[in-house]
Amino acid sequence: MEKAKELLMDLSNKLYDVSYAVGYMNPSYFSRQFKKYTGLFPSEYREKIMAEKGR
């Protein structure tokens, strides 16, 4: 999931691209696994990053 977090920090990456890059063929399953690992869905994680960067 660390690799997924890095990829999600690049806002140009789409969720399905990130999920495939880290080995999940189903983006919705990836989202659920990401939430189990980080406590946030990928979209929430991106919003948090954007808020921290002041975007």
Side-chain angles (χ1 to χ4, degrees):
M1 286 298 161
E2 292 302 316
K3 178 69 174 172
K5 289 168 72 174
E6 290 175 28
L7 292 170
L8 286 168
M9 290 178 74
D10 180 356
L11 300 177
S12 65
N13 289 329
K14 304 234 183 299
L15 176 62
Y16 60 86
D17 292 331
V18 174
S19 69
Y20 292 145
V22 296
Y24 290 93
M25 300 315 246
N26 184 333
S28 62
Y29 181 73
F30 165 72
S31 292
R32 290 190 305 271
Q33 294 303 310
F34 190 85
K35 180 162 173 96
K36 284 182 183 179
Y37 181 77
T38 65
L40 299 169
F41 283 111
S43 59
E44 296 168 331
Y45 182 75
R46 279 194 168 165
E47 287 174 16
K48 179 182 170 189
I49 290 169
M50 289 173 46
E52 290 172 358
K53 289 184 176 182
R55 291 185 180 182

